[in-house]
Amino acid sequence: MEFHQRILSLIEEQESWRGNCLNMIASENVVSPSVTRAVASDFGHRYAEGMLAGKDGEGMQLFDRFYQGNRFFDKVEAIAIRLSEELFGAEHANVVPISGVVANLSAYYALASYGDKISALTIPAGAHISHGKVSAAGVMGMKTIPYAFDNDEMNIDVDGSKKILLEEKPKIMVLGASVFLFPHPVKEMREIADEIEARIVYDGAHVLGLIAGKRFQSPFEEGADVVTASTHKTMPGPQGGVVMCKEELSKKIDNAAFPGLVSNHHLHHVAGYAIALAEMQKFGEDYAGQIVKNSKALGQAMHESGFKVLCENKGFTKSHQLLLDVSNFGGGKEFADQMERSNIILNKNMLPWDSMKDSRNPSGIRIGVQELTRVGMKESEMKEIGGLIKRVIVDKEEPEKVKSDVVELRKNFTKIHYCFD
Ligand code: DSN
């Protein structure tokens, strides 16, 4: 078979397979037909390098481009910026970053100098890699100062962290995470940041759709200086990034994004993101509300099935995520492999007490329910899914046998909800 035919056939196989799976990776989602249209549009192979150039009388962004041909894209990007500012209460938004890491790097580049200190969670406690030396913080030569973490609360220990922060005085304090069950103490950390003259960068990648739907904290209202995110986790846009900030930082942030870190941004992604923002403006509250109901319902079902779901005493979660300690079932790797054999897709994850050397087979499993919610599942399906997982892991039924029931359940949930199409 020719390579091009092979690729087309692999796309078919992927879509047919994942369309028959329960997709529960906490950082993924499905996009609406309108977003798919945007991503496959002519914008996907055009250039729009240029500067932001003030706003018109109606508050729409104007651009000073280096390339001709952008009369329609200028309007698209202006809408993406306008909706980002409105939905997240941002004084300024920039949609140039092509990923969450680039959004974080833009913030670091704008606010710190090579070699400065940055504070964040550790990766086992839930940090994204870009908060640490293996990724964006390391590219900036920054030393990461870890916060004290409360394993029972699954959150930052403010008092313990305060002592560390007053001593270390990082230039940037990163809040937000990739394991993100509960809102972070932004208000309390703001007070510390003011004392040490640090900037707060809130990485909202995982919870952006929940913030849009007003079902999570509002980071700017609570004191963040900058909010960064990817656009494709709970926010159901195409893969991409966004960085938002207080007006006083806008020039530095814009300059860091372009020409600092990106030459041409991905215009088709900006168009898709703008559509996803419009979807969240109209349907976001229902969508985010159902996500949180679903994650709590699945947590309860799995707890009743004998799994160690973290934070039972706190209702398991206030986000799209659940975290399970599966060390008594052989660890996260075996668990995730068995699930994949039954068409349930989730990922192994470190828990705060794991060490980095456990990363190949950590103690935990992370589950996200945002994609299942987007295809219309509710609390009763969460209960059913808890039962399917139990049959494989606790009852030790053959995963392939459970798979046929997974496929049967999935058949009734093929339409994408909370969108205009
Ligand atoms: N690695 C992703 C996650 O799963 O959280 C974030 O980029």
Side-chain angles (χ1 to χ4, degrees):
M1 192 188 272
E2 300 278 354
F3 281 135
H4 88 275
Q5 284 172 329
R6 182 80 187 113
I7 295 295
L8 291 174
S9 127
L10 287 167
I11 292 171
E12 297 276 333
E13 287 181 68
Q14 162 78 3
E15 291 185 346
S16 146
W17 175 48
R18 293 298 288 263
N20 279 304
C21 287
L22 296 170
N23 296 301
M24 301 169 84
I25 301 283
S27 52
E28 296 179 353
N29 213 322
V30 273
V31 299
S32 66
S34 295
V35 172
T36 303
R37 169 76 184 94
V39 171
S41 69
D42 184 77
F43 290 133
H45 36 264
R46 302 295 170 200
Y47 262 74
E49 286 182 18
M51 310 298 196
L52 305 191
K55 293 197 171 163
D56 70 13
E58 288 166 354
M60 299 303 281
Q61 185 67 52
L62 300 167
F63 302 90
D64 180 10
R65 303 285 188 199
F66 293 109
Y67 289 78
Q68 297 309 122
N70 287 301
R71 68 177 70 166
F72 298 116
F73 183 66
D74 282 357
K75 293 187 168 64
V76 168
E77 185 167 347
I79 292 170
I81 289 171
R82 166 82 170 262
L83 290 178
S84 298
E85 290 171 355
E86 280 178 12
L87 269 174
F88 304 111
E91 290 174 9
H92 180 75
N94 184 307
V95 295
V96 165
I98 54 170
S99 71
V101 171
V102 174
N104 278 342
L105 197 47
S106 303
Y108 304 164
Y109 189 43
L111 303 178
S113 303
Y114 195 86
D116 280 343
K117 291 179 188 168
I118 186 169
S119 58
L121 293 174
T122 62
I123 289 175
H128 187 251
I129 52 170
S130 60
H131 306 166
K133 68 173 181 203
V134 293
S135 174
V139 168
M140 281 286 296
M142 298 178 94
K143 181 177 174 214
T144 307
I145 310 297
Y147 298 128
F149 192 74
D150 185 329
N151 292 348
D152 297 323
E153 294 291 311
M154 279 302 288
N155 213 326
I156 295 166
D157 164 2
V158 175
D159 293 336
S161 298
K162 184 170 182 179
K163 289 192 195 105
I164 298 167
L165 292 165
L166 294 182
E167 170 82 24
E168 296 282 356
K169 297 192 175 42
K171 198 76 172 270
I172 293 176
M173 290 164 54
V174 175
L175 301 175
S178 286
V179 172
F180 208 173
L181 299 178
F182 301 103
H184 276 175
V186 180
K187 279 188 195 143
E188 294 84 344
M189 298 300 262
R190 175 77 262 166
E191 287 174 20
I192 304 171
D194 286 341
E195 234 178 290
I196 60 173
E197 295 182 9
R199 292 291 189 176
I200 291 187
V201 174
Y202 181 101
D203 183 339
H206 266 273
V207 292
L208 198 66
L210 302 180
I211 297 172
K214 301 184 176 40
R215 285 306 304 254
F216 210 72
Q217 64 194 150
S218 175
F220 280 118
E221 268 177 38
E222 294 183 21
D225 295 295
V226 177
V227 174
T228 61
S230 51
T231 53
H232 49 266
K233 295 181 168 76
T234 50
M235 168 58 70
Q239 296 232 2
V242 59
V243 56
M244 299 173 275
C245 62
K246 292 180 174 165
E247 187 57 43
E248 72 200 56
L249 300 173
S250 61
K251 290 250 167 341
K252 282 184 175 174
I253 291 282
D254 291 346
N255 197 53
F258 175 85
L261 295 162
V262 176
S263 150
N264 191 39
H265 49 321
H266 296 171
L267 314 193
H268 49 326
H269 292 176
V270 172
Y273 175 49
I275 291 173
L277 287 165
E279 291 169 355
M280 287 301 98
Q281 195 178 44
K282 175 117 177 132
F283 308 105
E285 290 189 29
D286 289 345
Y287 164 70
Q290 190 60 50
I291 287 175
V292 178
K293 282 187 208 159
N294 283 353
S295 56
K296 284 177 168 293
L298 182 61
Q300 185 62 34
M302 295 195 73
H303 169 71
E304 286 168 12
S305 297
F307 291 105
K308 281 191 207 164
V309 187
L310 266 52
C311 297
E312 183 206 346
N313 60 337
K314 291 168 63 76
F316 306 110
T317 183
K318 285 192 175 172
S319 75
H320 60 304
Q321 294 185 5
L322 291 169
L323 204 59
L324 275 68
D325 181 346
V326 295
S327 48
N328 53 332
F329 294 109
K333 182 179 176 348
E334 176 65 13
F335 191 113
D337 285 347
Q338 297 258 18
M339 284 294 107
E340 181 164 348
R341 284 173 57 200
S342 57
N343 273 19
I344 296 178
I345 311 294
L346 39 71
N347 66 274
K348 61 178 184 270
N349 217 95
M350 281 193 277
L351 299 180
W353 45 90
D354 284 340
S355 95
M356 288 303 287
K357 68 177 170 35
D358 301 322
S359 63
R360 301 271 172 210
N361 184 23
S363 314
I365 283 290
R366 186 185 64 171
I367 295 178
V369 299
Q370 68 291 343
E371 185 170 334
L372 300 181
T373 308
R374 198 98 203 286
V375 294
M377 292 193 184
K378 299 223 158 95
E379 290 94 317
S380 57
E381 284 77 36
M382 297 302 117
K383 208 166 170 203
E384 212 173 314
I385 292 166
L388 291 166
I389 297 174
K390 173 179 177 280
R391 281 170 56 193
V392 178
I393 302 295
V394 180
D395 305 339
K396 308 233 176 290
E397 262 188 63
E398 270 306 301
E400 286 72 15
K401 200 164 151 239
V402 177
K403 176 172 149 183
S404 53
D405 291 333
V406 167
V407 172
E408 204 50 43
L409 170 64
R410 183 67 165 88
K411 264 193 196 143
N412 304 317
F413 297 92
T414 51
K415 186 173 170 293
I416 294 170
H417 293 241
Y418 311 103
C419 65
F420 297 99
D421 302 285

